[in-house]
């Protein structure tokens, strides 16, 4: 199961639901953040760091990709046959 995050409350809600479903459907949750082209280097800034801590996520548990977020998430999900 792939969950995209932009470190918003909407992403938090998606992560909460995915964690609930993870046990029910016996699927692993992969958290993905896609950095848009031209956005510079990604780093754990204050917003992301606070979000990660609040939702008990280690930065190392997030797959960081580059490109268009919608396209990147779909391509990654298809590449792993995600739910």
């Amino acid at each position: 199961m792939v969950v995209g995050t932009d470190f918003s409350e909407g992403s938090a809600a998606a992560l909460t639901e995915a964690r609930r479903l993870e046990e029910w459907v016996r699927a692993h949750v992969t958290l993905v953040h896609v950095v848009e082209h031209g956005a510079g280097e990604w780093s754990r800034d204050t917003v992301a760091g606070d979000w990660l801590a609040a939702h008990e996520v280690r930065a190392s548990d997030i797959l960081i990709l580059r490109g268009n977020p919608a396209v990147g998430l779909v391509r990654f999900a298809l590449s792993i046959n995600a739910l």
Side-chain angles (χ1 to χ4, degrees):
M1 193 174 349
V2 174
V3 176
T5 184
D6 60 2
F7 308 109
S8 67
E9 286 309 307
S11 294
L15 178 59
T16 298
E17 186 65 15
R19 284 176 170 165
R20 187 183 70 75
L21 289 171
E22 184 176 32
E23 293 179 27
W24 187 58
V25 298
R26 298 173 199 246
H28 173 74
V29 172
T30 301
L31 194 57
V32 179
H33 176 69
V34 182
V35 178
E36 289 194 60
H37 288 299
E41 291 300 314
W42 184 82
S43 64
R44 220 177 350 171
D45 60 15
T46 304
V47 174
D50 291 347
W51 191 93
L52 294 170
H55 303 291
E56 300 176 354
V57 176
R58 294 181 313 219
S60 61
D61 290 338
I62 298 178
L63 176 63
I64 306 298
L65 302 175
R66 287 199 158 278
N68 176 290
V71 173
L73 287 172
V74 171
R75 282 186 179 156
F76 176 73
L78 289 172
S79 77
I80 65 166
N81 296 318
L83 296 174

